Amino acid sequence: MRVPEAEPLVGTWRDRLDPSARAGVPAHVTVLFPFLDASRIDEGVRAAIGEVLGRQESFEARFDHCGRFPGVLYLAPEPDTGFRRLTGAIVRRWPEHPPFGGQFEDAVPHLTVAQGQDEAAVEQVEADLRTGLPVVARVSAVDLLVYDGTRWRQRASFPLG
């Protein structure tokens, strides 16, 4: 889901250091990736997504610190329970699509800022980010993004209940 409140802090860094930003992905926390191929997302699938997400309550998230995975710098939401609840609801409906293809035991909610950078670059970015934290966001909708072979584009947006 988009986190437009974070764009002023992370936008420039993401444009430079996160390939997904250059491919059209806004500052976001992923609910589920990979998902269905774009060719399979029809009216019935959109209705099912809307039904699942419409039963979930909107919530507030506070991004107040950075975290790291190997090769990735991110902002961490606190609490992360709302994001986990959304992922869980979608996965229960489409269990054949586990988060990140089942690659990780725990799909940690996060907002990626930089990927594949050397340690010095990551430390510089993290120091800059700390000066602008916290970022507080109201999460009231989930956007469905699809890849057209070149860019990610919004296909639909689903309001939370």
Side-chain angles (χ1 to χ4, degrees):
M1 74 223 40
R2 291 176 194 251
V3 184
E5 297 89 343
E7 286 289 353
L9 179 63
V10 304
T12 301
W13 289 118
R14 289 187 70 247
D15 287 344
R16 286 182 44 210
L17 306 175
D18 181 1
S20 72
R22 292 187 298 275
V25 179
H28 71 286
V29 175
T30 298
V31 173
L32 183 61
F33 175 83
F35 190 50
L36 298 171
D37 184 83
S39 66
R40 294 186 54 209
I41 300 172
D42 58 15
E43 283 296 319
V45 169
R46 285 194 296 275
I49 295 169
E51 181 181 317
V52 169
L53 293 176
R55 291 191 299 255
Q56 305 302 312
E57 292 187 27
S58 60
F59 58 94
E60 188 171 276
R62 179 182 171 94
F63 297 82
D64 62 5
H65 67 279
C66 295
R68 295 190 193 189
F69 301 129
V72 175
L73 173 68
Y74 63 89
L75 296 184
E78 295 293 335
D80 69 2
T81 52
F83 297 105
R84 289 179 183 276
R85 203 172 48 245
L86 292 173
T87 297
I90 294 293
V91 170
R92 279 190 296 282
R93 174 59 180 81
W94 286 276
E96 67 278 16
H97 296 283
F100 301 101
Q103 217 174 350
F104 309 105
E105 189 171 315
D106 182 23
V108 175
H110 63 282
L111 190 157
T112 299
V113 178
Q115 296 185 55
Q117 304 301 310
D118 65 43
E119 186 62 23
V122 170
E123 287 187 13
Q124 177 190 5
V125 175
E126 187 171 356
D128 180 67
L129 293 175
R130 274 195 238 113
T131 67
L133 294 175
V135 171
V136 177
R138 184 80 193 152
V139 179
S140 58
V142 174
D143 294 333
L144 174 63
L145 301 180
V146 296
Y147 190 64
D148 67 10
T150 305
R151 295 193 51 81
W152 288 92
R153 300 190 192 283
Q154 183 176 327
R155 170 77 61 91
S157 187
F158 302 95
L160 302 179

